[in-house]
């Protein structure tokens, strides 16, 4: 990813020890192509599709699908990564169809490359698990507009925001870039959004889990995909990941 001017300024001022990474780089991994998910579809709970079954995870992510699915896909993604935006635009609907088979679950985990990532991650989780995936898709769809607003900021103002108290810095960043208004228009009241942005415990948890994931899976870029505990190589696009999932029996 080409770092825009305000993002670069924030990166220099960052007080949260976030691990910066590239957007689109991939790590190699072994054991793709195993037929781990072949078999019959699994009926969902009455009155639902499996993609309607969502829950928070201990890794601070959100998962959709059959909790007992034989194939478990995890995506580490950055809200400021254009590759992640493109993947989401292409993959959201076909992934839901795969999840509805009951043979695949899909978990999204935020990978934090800059303070804006953390700001959006806090807002995405603000309404709980049920609206998480639609809101995440809308945040990615809004990425270009967000970049335009972020680029228009005075870098000194962005740096000053990060020097505020932990319970205020992300409230300020979200207000400066229109993100509070954005989620308010999508069902999250302004007071609730600001409360989520001020939740230092949640912010610290997201940072810690992102760092744990980076270390465990040697993540160097986003999006990174993990299938049944192993990083899937060369899958920065939906077309490439779909091939790997097909090889896995989906």
């Amino acid at each position: 990813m080409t770092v825009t001017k305000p993002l670069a300024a924030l990166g220099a001022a960052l007080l949260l020890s976030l691990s910066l990474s590239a957007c689109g780089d991939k790590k190699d991994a072994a054991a793709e192509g195993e037929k781990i998910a072949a078999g019959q579809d699994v009926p969902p709970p009455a009155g639902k599709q499996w993609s309607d079954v969502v829950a928070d995870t201990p890794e601070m992510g959100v998962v959709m699908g059959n909790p007992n699915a034989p194939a478990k896909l995890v995506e580490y993604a950055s809200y400021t990564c254009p590759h992640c935006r493109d993947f989401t635009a292409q993959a959201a609907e076909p992934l839901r169809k795969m999840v509805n088979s009951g043979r695949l679950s899909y978990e999204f985990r935020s990978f934090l490359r800059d303070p804006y990532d953390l700001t959006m991650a806090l807002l995405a989780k603000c309404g709980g698990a049920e609206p998480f995936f639609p809101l995440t898709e809308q945040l990615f769809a809004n990425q270009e507009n967000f970049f335009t607003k972020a680029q228009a900021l005075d870098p000194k103002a962005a740096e000053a925001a990060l020097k505020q108290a932990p319970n205020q810095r992300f409230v300020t960043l979200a207000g400066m870039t229109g993100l509070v208004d954005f989620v308010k228009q999508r069902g999250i009241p302004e007071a609730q959004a600001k409360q989520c942005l001020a939740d230092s415990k949640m912010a610290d948890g997201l940072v810690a889990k992102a760092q744990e994931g980076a270390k465990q899976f040697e993540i160097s870029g986003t999006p990174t995909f993990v299938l049944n505990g192993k990083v899937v190589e060369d899958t920065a696009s939906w077309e490439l990941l779909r091939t790997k999932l097909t090889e896995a029996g989906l």
Side-chain angles (χ1 to χ4, degrees):
M1 174 186 174
T2 301
V3 180
T4 59
K5 186 176 181 180
L7 295 181
L10 284 172
L14 189 56
L15 304 177
L16 300 175
S17 300
L18 299 182
S19 175
L20 299 183
S21 70
C23 175
D25 295 339
K26 299 305 300 173
K27 291 293 291 185
D28 289 344
E32 291 83 39
E34 297 176 4
K35 294 292 184 180
I36 55 177
Q40 294 183 343
D41 288 358
V42 180
K48 290 188 175 182
Q49 295 183 324
W50 279 120
S51 58
D52 299 324
V53 179
V54 294
D56 293 313
T57 70
E59 292 75 22
M60 305 290 287
V62 179
V63 63
M64 73 162 70
N66 178 6
N68 299 313
K72 300 183 185 299
L73 178 69
V74 174
E75 177 186 5
Y76 282 90
S78 155
Y79 286 105
T80 60
C81 170
H83 290 283
C84 302
R85 174 200 64 204
D86 295 344
F87 173 84
T88 298
Q90 297 163 3
E93 288 306 314
L95 257 182
R96 279 190 176 87
K97 291 180 180 178
M98 287 188 174
V99 167
N100 284 335
S101 72
R103 294 183 287 119
L104 174 73
S105 66
Y106 165 62
E107 180 181 351
F108 182 102
R109 298 179 189 172
S110 292
F111 193 77
L112 307 171
R113 304 182 310 125
D114 56 62
Y116 286 134
D117 271 333
L118 184 48
T119 303
M120 286 188 268
L122 289 167
L123 289 172
K125 290 181 67 67
C126 192
E130 186 172 349
F132 175 84
F133 286 102
L135 184 53
T136 286
E137 291 161 22
Q138 291 164 19
L139 284 166
F140 276 123
N142 184 60
Q143 191 184 88
E144 288 293 337
N145 181 55
F146 164 77
F147 281 155
T148 298
K149 291 182 178 180
Q151 287 172 331
L153 292 179
D154 180 348
K156 291 183 179 180
E159 290 183 22
L162 282 178
K163 294 178 181 178
Q164 293 181 321
N167 66 349
Q168 184 59 39
R169 57 175 63 127
F170 300 112
V171 177
T172 300
L173 284 178
M176 293 166 64
T177 53
L179 288 171
V180 171
D181 287 338
F182 182 84
V183 298
K184 185 169 66 173
Q185 294 166 6
R186 287 155 180 81
I188 297 178
E190 181 173 347
Q192 181 179 341
K194 290 181 175 180
Q195 184 177 14
C196 292
L197 291 163
D199 188 343
S200 299
K201 183 177 180 181
M202 176 66 76
D204 290 344
L206 286 166
V207 170
K209 290 301 182 181
Q211 291 175 335
E212 286 178 15
K215 183 177 180 180
Q216 179 180 359
F217 298 111
E218 299 182 348
I219 297 172
S220 64
T222 52
T224 287
F225 299 97
V226 179
L227 184 61
N228 283 14
K230 296 179 180 179
V231 176
V232 188
E233 64 176 321
D234 301 326
T235 53
S237 71
W238 167 240
E239 182 179 357
L240 293 170
L241 179 64
R242 179 175 56 191
T243 298
K244 299 293 186 179
L245 294 176
T246 300
E247 291 171 357
L250 291 158

